[in-house]
Amino acid sequence: MSKTAILYRMVTDEHICPYGLRSKDLLEREGFSVEDHHLTSRKETDKFKEKHGVETTPQTFINNERVGGYDELREHFDKGEAGQTGTTYTPVVAIFSVAALLSLAFQFAVSGDFISIRTLMLFIAFSMTLLAVQKLQDLYSFTNSFITYDLLAMKWLRYGYIYPFIEAYAGIGMVAQLPALAVAPFSLFIGTVGAISVFKAVYVDKRELKCACVGGDSNVPLGFVSLSENLFMIVGALIMSLL
């Protein structure tokens, strides 16, 4: 016998509830045939909530018993909590992975080779540029996190606002192969200050902080991965100076 679930979710001209869509998808992946009922107005939605004594929609019913909303439905199927929870390195891993693939693709398109010292330089440059974009999305949020551990930003708050622009400039300059004197000093400076700041905060002061490397709202812990961003900048500057 096929399994059937009844789902009530809000679908209006102004709003389609994302958790209703997620509930429907989860039910179908669990092998249920879904009786999908749309609540097409705020009045209809409020009437449904009042009738069933609930505060939110969507609501799922299985075997004539109310399971609840999306979170309760996940719990019913022994699924973990939805979304990312706690600290995570996922944003940094994603950026470094994309930067690495971009570097290989760019180098292959230009020279027909995948691996060279130029590939490493491109990886550093793309990583810096992508990380800078994350910071530039919300400078206020970024600086709120950055000034809690960066030694220079603590003393001169404006540096926190300038930092992402310098990082982006250095990364783009490396891709464009600008003269070393025009790029390397900037990369070396922010990389060195950043590395010292992170090392002091994490390994000397033993502070547990969130890293601002991918923006101020991230749950990336301040640590070795954060330090790697600064080390990349230093290495990139040295490579530019030596080539």
Side-chain angles (χ1 to χ4, degrees):
M1 295 179 63
S2 63
K3 300 181 291 185
T4 301
I6 302 173
L7 173 65
Y8 292 86
R9 61 189 180 97
M10 192 173 183
V11 180
T12 70
D13 293 337
E14 295 80 21
H15 177 70
I16 297 177
C17 177
Y19 296 104
L21 291 171
R22 289 186 180 277
S23 295
K24 183 173 183 291
D25 174 72
L26 178 56
L27 286 164
E28 289 173 343
R29 285 189 285 113
E30 291 294 326
F32 282 81
S33 174
V34 181
E35 290 185 15
D36 190 14
H37 296 270
H38 293 183
L39 303 171
T40 58
S41 68
R42 176 61 63 182
K43 182 178 180 180
E44 186 178 1
T45 302
D46 290 341
K47 185 177 180 180
F48 171 85
K49 291 178 182 178
E50 183 179 355
K51 177 182 177 181
H52 294 278
V54 296
E55 296 183 355
T56 62
T57 59
Q59 292 291 323
T60 298
F61 295 79
I62 297 176
N63 296 327
N64 294 319
E65 293 186 5
R66 186 177 68 85
V67 176
Y70 179 61
D71 289 338
E72 290 79 13
L73 190 61
R74 290 185 64 87
E75 184 177 348
H76 177 80
F77 292 125
D78 294 323
K79 304 291 184 181
E81 188 174 347
Q84 289 185 352
T85 58
T87 56
T88 175
Y89 287 109
T90 300
V92 178
V93 172
I95 287 174
F96 285 168
S97 298
V98 171
L101 292 173
L102 277 172
S103 305
L104 293 170
F106 192 94
Q107 182 64 17
F108 180 76
V110 171
S111 66
D113 297 323
F114 283 110
I115 305 298
S116 71
I117 192 67
R118 178 63 181 161
T119 308
L120 175 59
M121 175 65 74
L122 286 169
F123 169 68
I124 293 171
F126 285 133
S127 296
M128 291 172 63
T129 306
L130 291 171
L131 288 166
V133 170
Q134 293 294 107
K135 299 175 178 72
L136 289 168
Q137 291 182 84
D138 186 347
L139 281 172
Y140 183 82
S141 179
F142 161 70
T143 53
N144 262 0
S145 179
F146 189 62
I147 61 178
T148 63
Y149 62 86
D150 187 86
L151 296 174
L152 180 54
M154 284 180 184
K155 296 183 178 297
W156 183 41
L157 192 144
R158 292 293 107 186
Y159 174 67
Y161 286 91
I162 297 170
Y163 178 95
F165 291 96
I166 300 176
E167 185 176 29
Y169 165 75
I172 294 169
M174 290 178 187
V175 175
Q177 300 187 59
L178 296 179
L181 285 176
V183 178
F186 294 96
S187 183
L188 184 62
F189 177 79
I190 64 174
T192 302
V193 173
I196 294 172
S197 299
V198 172
F199 185 85
K200 181 179 185 300
V202 175
Y203 300 106
V204 177
D205 299 337
K206 307 294 184 181
R207 299 169 65 198
E208 293 185 3
L209 299 168
K210 291 181 181 179
C211 181
C213 53
V214 290
D217 293 328
S218 78
N219 283 322
V220 176
L222 192 68
F224 177 76
V225 173
S226 314
L227 186 61
S228 65
E229 175 189 13
N230 304 114
L231 296 178
F232 285 160
M233 295 178 189
I234 295 171
V235 172
L238 294 177
I239 293 174
M240 286 195 78
S241 301
L242 294 174
L243 289 180

